[in-house]
């Protein structure tokens, strides 16, 4: 693996980029926007990690489905593209597992199970491509009881940095969702990307599609932009060591 050594003077770069990012996210609440600005104005020289973004599912794999019949995969992708744009305008190098509604399994693979296995292997390969990366997998949650709502972060104990990243993201979501009292949650091998990633990695469950009110919000561009800014803010706080 090639070490990516990029040092950027954040005090100068992030100021100009943050103004542009906040302008692009004008639909967000003042509180979220103010937090993003404060996070971006880091007046020290610091190496920026590459950010790897994963939109869960895609193609034949729709993921869970909202109470209105909307598959998770499209919501995940919409949020990912917004996070990607905010990160790039703020000076980060960003790679994504997918930027359209596709499965990324190898060509020639037949059978849904084999395609899904190949798809996950290729996502993990990108997660582990760089020594200096932060990896975020974007998903939506679902449960049999529609009362449950709120974002929750899942992480693996394989790297102590995972917990710090999860805490940063969960704290950021509590600004967007003040009533959200959920705690970060450990995962095992069942969350393949989180468990086997060699870089700081968190699965972000943005909300519950089984909750009618939250599902309705998550299917709007305005709320997707708010979620994107929330994830962006959590990444910034982690990188800045806050």
């Amino acid at each position: 693996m090639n070490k990516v050594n990029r040092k950027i003077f954040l005090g100068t770069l992030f100021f100009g980029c943050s103004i542009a990012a906040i302008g692009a996210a004008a639909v967000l609440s003042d509180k979220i926007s103010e937090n993003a600005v404060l996070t971006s104005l880091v007046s020290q020289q610091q190496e920026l990690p590459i950010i790897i973004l994963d939109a869960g599912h895609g193609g034949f794999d729709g993921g869970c489905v909202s109470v209105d019949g909307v598959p998770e995969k499209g919501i995940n992708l919409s949020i990912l593209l917004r996070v990607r744009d905010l990160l790039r305008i703020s000076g980060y190098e960003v790679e994504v597992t997918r930027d359209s509604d596709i499965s990324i399994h190898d060509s020639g693979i037949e059978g849904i199970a084999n395609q899904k296995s190949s798809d996950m292997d290729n996502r993990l390969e990108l997660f582990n491509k760089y020594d200096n990366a932060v990896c975020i997998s974007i998903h939506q949650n679902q449960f049999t009881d529609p009362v449950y709502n709120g974002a929750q972060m899942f992480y693996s104990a394989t790297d102590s940095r995972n917990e710090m990243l999860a805490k940063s993201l969960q704290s950021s979501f509590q600004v967007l969702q003040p009533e959200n009292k959920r705690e970060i949650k450990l995962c095992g091998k069942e969350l393949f990307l989180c468990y086997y990633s060699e870089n700081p990695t968190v699965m972000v469950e943005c909300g519950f599609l089984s909750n009618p009110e939250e599902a309705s919000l998550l299917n709007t561009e305005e709320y997707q932009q708010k979620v994107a800014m929330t994830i962006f803010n959590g990444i910034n706080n982690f990188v800045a060591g806050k």
Side-chain angles (χ1 to χ4, degrees):
M1 296 184 184
N2 294 324
K3 175 78 171 177
V4 179
N5 293 313
R6 300 181 304 114
K7 293 199 172 182
I8 297 177
F9 187 70
L10 301 183
T12 300
L13 175 64
F14 271 31
F15 180 78
C17 292
S18 295
I19 298 303
I22 298 308
V27 297
L28 304 185
S29 68
D30 290 341
K31 190 171 184 181
I32 295 175
S33 297
E34 288 167 4
N35 283 352
V37 171
L38 291 173
T39 302
S40 296
L41 298 179
V42 183
S43 58
Q44 61 182 9
Q45 193 172 10
Q46 180 176 322
E47 181 182 352
L48 286 179
I50 293 175
I51 309 299
I52 311 296
L53 299 177
D54 170 56
H57 310 285
F60 65 86
D61 178 10
C64 67
V65 179
S66 77
V67 292
D68 296 324
V70 178
E72 171 189 1
K73 63 177 183 177
I75 298 173
N76 297 341
L77 179 60
S78 180
I79 293 172
L80 175 145
L81 294 175
R82 296 167 190 273
V83 177
R84 180 198 64 183
D85 292 347
L86 289 168
L87 287 165
R88 284 180 174 171
I89 205 170
S90 295
Y92 289 94
E93 181 178 344
V94 184
E95 292 203 29
V96 301
T97 55
R98 66 182 182 96
D99 58 9
S100 59
D101 183 16
I102 59 171
S103 166
I104 61 170
H105 62 270
D106 292 337
S107 61
I109 301 292
E110 297 183 357
I112 291 177
N114 292 332
Q115 290 174 347
K116 182 62 178 176
S117 178
S118 174
D119 173 273
M120 294 302 291
D121 285 340
N122 288 335
R123 292 175 197 247
L124 181 63
E125 182 179 1
L126 180 57
F127 272 32
N128 291 335
K129 182 178 179 180
Y130 304 99
D131 291 336
N132 181 32
V134 171
C135 305
I136 304 293
S137 185
I138 298 172
H139 286 258
Q140 311 304 316
N141 216 334
Q142 187 178 49
F143 196 65
T144 53
D145 190 337
V147 71
Y148 293 102
N149 68 302
Q152 188 169 30
M153 309 304 116
F154 289 80
Y155 71 101
S156 168
T158 54
D159 188 327
S160 61
R161 297 172 297 174
N162 294 338
E163 182 177 6
M164 292 186 288
L165 177 58
K167 286 181 176 179
S168 180
L169 287 160
Q170 191 72 47
S171 177
S172 186
F173 266 98
Q174 286 167 351
V175 176
L176 177 63
Q177 304 168 351
E179 303 301 317
N180 185 349
K181 305 302 180 185
R182 293 187 173 278
E183 298 181 354
I184 62 175
K185 189 170 182 179
L186 273 171
C187 71
K189 294 180 180 179
E190 74 281 358
L191 294 188
F192 181 79
L193 290 180
C194 284
Y195 190 84
Y196 290 103
S197 176
E198 297 169 2
N199 287 299
T201 301
V202 166
M203 176 181 284
V204 178
E205 296 278 8
C206 302
F208 282 78
L209 293 184
S210 48
N211 179 283
E213 293 77 15
E214 193 159 55
S216 180
L217 279 174
L218 285 163
N219 200 35
T220 66
E221 292 185 2
E222 180 178 358
Y223 192 72
Q224 290 168 2
Q225 185 71 25
K226 290 181 179 181
V227 170
M229 180 63 88
T230 298
I231 295 172
F232 166 75
N233 191 43
I235 294 170
N236 264 345
N237 280 334
F238 173 76
V239 171
K242 293 186 177 182

